[in-house]
Amino acid sequence: MSTPSTAAFDTGVKARHRALWVSGDYPAVADVIAALGERLVEATAIGSGDRVLDVAAGAGNVAVPAARTGAHVVASDLTPELLETGRTRHPDLGIIWRTADAEDLPFDDDSFDVVTSCVGVMFTPDHLRSARELVRVSRPGGRIGLINWTPAGFIGRLFAVMKPYAPPLPPGTQPGIRWGDPDYIATLFGDKADLESHAESLTVSAFADGAAFRDFFKAAYGPTVTAYRRIADDAEQVAALDAAMAGLADEAIVDGTMEWEYLITTATAR
């Protein structure tokens, strides 16, 4: 399987990326999936004294439970507005909130015992460059932990539903959902780390029906907000996306809950 070539993306692409995640209310979405952060802390055995970097941290879904173990945590993200939410919510945990590009992390080689990213780094434009950065800042023998949505899971299918309505990806960019394929993620890291990956599922009970899910994501989730903005002047397309999103969620809700599949990857840096 081929990997994307490393390329420098211009500031316009990065500005667009930041704007996507500022739109809506991503911290509200992160609250729905908060258990994923705790799961990644558990999977990487983060504990007191560990030097931890959470990449594409948002408002701190991994950084916060990691800090509560007594670890020394840096939360980095391209979007300072999300970091400010985390800083405001959790002022007493000693987390360092640092604006940083996952493709060009401002940290020395071998700086951290544990490097994590929870449904974050998967959305960077240059997958290969991001993977190399995760390894570079990990000390030899350090742990890397990732959670990414799978293509076949609910969020992967949501992206497939939104694709016809969403803006096209910039040239050279790969779909983020590819990080949920264990074969693909293995090609990204190559011989730089020893990887183990397997699929798990997050149980979500936040939505009574498909319409409730659609309305929440339509208002809060950046990629969905962006898709709707693109078609805002076409009532027929808006209605079609409304129906598709609600229908997808209605199919997924069973006895009041949904199962959102993700790939969890743990690695040891070489």
Side-chain angles (χ1 to χ4, degrees):
M1 180 181 295
S2 62
T3 60
S5 59
T6 300
F9 287 86
D10 62 32
T11 55
V13 171
K14 296 302 174 71
R16 171 178 161 181
H17 191 70
R18 286 194 298 269
L20 183 148
W21 294 109
V22 170
S23 65
D25 183 4
Y26 187 72
V29 178
D31 288 343
V32 173
I33 61 172
L36 293 183
E38 296 172 0
R39 177 69 186 100
L40 199 51
V41 168
E42 175 190 41
T44 51
I46 292 172
S48 181
D50 279 333
R51 299 166 298 163
V52 178
L53 173 65
D54 188 25
V55 178
N61 262 24
V62 179
V64 168
R68 286 175 174 154
T69 71
H72 307 295
V73 181
V74 178
S76 69
D77 199 281
L78 188 66
T79 307
E81 293 88 344
L82 298 181
L83 296 175
E84 184 58 30
T85 297
R87 183 185 292 111
T88 300
R89 286 183 174 183
H90 307 285
D92 301 324
L93 290 178
I95 299 169
I96 298 171
W97 304 91
R98 180 77 179 272
T99 302
D101 184 348
E103 296 174 6
D104 188 18
L105 293 168
F107 307 109
D108 292 337
D109 296 357
D110 309 335
S111 293
F112 296 95
D113 301 305
V114 188
V115 179
T116 62
S117 188
C118 181
V119 295
V121 74
M122 65 182 291
F123 293 110
T124 58
D126 192 324
H127 297 179
L128 184 57
R129 188 166 181 166
S130 297
R132 288 178 176 176
E133 282 292 274
L134 297 178
V135 175
R136 182 186 66 78
V137 299
S138 302
R139 66 167 175 78
R143 291 105 67 197
I144 299 170
L146 305 171
I147 284 179
N148 300 301
W149 301 121
T150 65
F154 176 76
I155 298 297
R157 287 183 285 137
L158 173 65
F159 275 98
V161 163
M162 294 192 300
K163 183 177 179 180
Y165 309 94
L169 294 174
T173 303
Q174 295 288 328
I177 205 69
R178 295 193 70 186
W179 282 76
D181 177 347
D183 293 331
Y184 179 74
I185 203 170
T187 66
L188 292 177
F189 285 89
D191 62 358
K192 304 298 183 182
D194 298 311
L195 273 67
E196 293 184 6
S197 297
H198 65 275
E200 296 182 355
S201 182
L202 174 70
T203 300
V204 176
S205 57
F207 308 105
D209 55 24
F213 166 82
R214 177 202 60 214
D215 292 345
F216 176 76
F217 262 57
K218 188 175 179 178
Y221 191 51
T224 310
V225 172
T226 301
Y228 273 100
R229 284 179 178 171
R230 182 172 183 254
I231 62 173
D233 294 332
D234 189 327
E236 185 174 330
Q237 284 199 311
V238 170
L241 183 53
D242 276 347
M245 286 187 60
L248 177 70
D250 275 328
E251 291 177 4
I253 295 172
V254 178
D255 295 330
T257 64
M258 312 168 77
E259 297 296 326
W260 295 6
E261 186 182 74
Y262 59 89
L263 186 76
I264 186 164
T265 300
T266 54
T268 303
R270 292 182 180 175

